[in-house]
Amino acid sequence: AQRVTQPEKLLSVFKGAPVELKCNYSYSGSPELFWYVQYSRQRLQLLLRHISRESIKGFTADLNKGETSFHLKKPFAQEEDSAMYYCALRGWGGGADGLTFGKGTHLIIQP
Amino acid sequence: DGGITQSPKYLFRKEGQNVTLSCEQNLNHDAMYWYRQDPGQGLRLIYYSQIVNDFQKGDIAEGYSVSREKKESFPLTVTSAQKNPTTFYLCASTYSGLAGELFFGEGSRLTVL
């Protein structure tokens, strides 16, 4: 079975400090990994996916197959980054054509 | 204005009562999904549909039912068997069941009185 673990329910950092939201996964094959974000009073939306290897709003995430991780990083946090972040995995064999979400991390950027 | 529309945003039901949440999309997406979002639980899949007239149970389908008579619409009925109190429902869609980017609605909050 595939599983996504986000160990931190809440992460609080100061503006300008580096941010790292952790995501670990369990899957035997080659997964697709995603980060979704939900800002206050806005819809849940895709932030980035590992396949595109892009940087969105200063965030990057690298798939580390050896450590089965897909941590989300930003070198200098901004107040507008405060939001709920979900890591998601698409595998082959799980339910719903294989898309599994983690439980989410609430990121708070303090001024 | 394209997108996914969920209605109503807020809904109350009494115990023993069935209620239906609406989800409509004009994005011409094939696949549609219903999730529950509970604090500390993340998103849990209730039902999904990859094509019209076909749908599959997700991880927590008990107490729910759906239909997919039209490509644009995927209503969710919360039956009286669903005992959980206030919770938040999210509808999503994507071009095909194998795509990674889900497009979400604004959500519907259901409170059991």
Side-chain angles (χ1 to χ4, degrees):
Chain A
Q2 59 197 51
R3 188 164 56 244
V4 176
T5 303
Q6 294 180 249
E8 303 134 331
K9 283 187 178 180
L10 175 67
L11 182 63
S12 180
V13 301
F14 286 102
K15 177 182 174 182
V19 173
E20 182 179 68
L21 290 89
K22 291 184 168 53
C23 173
N24 290 92
Y25 67 90
S26 173
Y27 182 68
S28 57
S30 293
E32 290 183 68
L33 275 299
F34 309 86
W35 276 99
Y36 280 79
V37 61
Q38 188 170 29
Y39 300 104
S40 179
R41 298 189 181 86
Q42 293 188 29
R43 303 173 188 233
L44 189 62
Q45 58 187 292
L46 179 68
L47 179 62
L48 55 79
R49 65 184 79 188
H50 91 272
I51 285 179
S52 52
R53 301 183 66 83
E54 56 195 345
S55 173
I56 303 293
K57 298 185 179 183
F59 284 99
T60 59
D62 292 317
L63 177 60
N64 186 323
K65 291 186 178 181
E67 296 183 357
T68 60
S69 68
F70 188 56
H71 304 327
L72 184 67
K73 300 177 183 179
K74 184 169 183 176
F76 307 104
Q78 298 172 299
E79 289 186 67
E80 53 264 35
D81 296 329
S82 294
M84 194 73 186
Y85 291 80
Y86 293 95
C87 183
L89 176 151
R90 175 174 300 285
W92 309 100
D97 57 84
L99 192 60
T100 301
F101 284 87
K103 293 187 176 183
T105 297
H106 188 189
L107 176 64
I108 297 175
I109 308 300
Q110 299 188 48
Chain B
D1 187 23
I4 300 179
T5 303
Q6 288 185 238
S7 63
K9 281 190 177 180
Y10 302 96
L11 186 62
F12 299 88
R13 77 172 174 99
K14 298 177 182 177
E15 283 194 17
Q17 189 178 38
N18 293 353
V19 293
T20 297
L21 306 179
S22 169
C23 179
E24 304 276 333
Q25 54 96 1
N26 61 5
L27 300 168
N28 199 33
H29 286 170
D30 299 304
M32 297 186 73
Y33 306 77
W34 276 105
Y35 288 90
R36 272 186 55 166
Q37 187 179 28
D38 298 300
Q41 296 292 325
L43 276 71
R44 292 182 291 170
L45 183 70
I46 305 172
Y47 268 98
Y48 67 103
S49 168
Q50 295 185 348
I51 56 172
V52 175
N53 292 322
D54 185 56
F55 48 82
Q56 307 294 330
K57 292 183 179 180
D59 302 318
I60 54 167
E62 185 176 347
Y64 301 97
S65 66
V66 293
S67 63
R68 186 86 186 277
E69 297 177 2
K70 298 187 298 181
K71 188 176 185 178
E72 305 79 25
S73 178
F74 191 40
L76 174 75
T77 296
V78 184
T79 73
S80 57
Q82 178 49 245
K83 301 299 183 188
N84 289 81
T86 299
T87 193
F88 196 64
Y89 292 95
L90 283 173
C91 181
S93 69
T94 189
Y95 279 108
S96 78
L98 300 180
E101 181 171 3
L102 296 182
F103 293 81
F104 285 87
E106 292 183 307
S108 296
R109 184 169 299 279
L110 175 62
T111 302
V112 178
L113 302 175

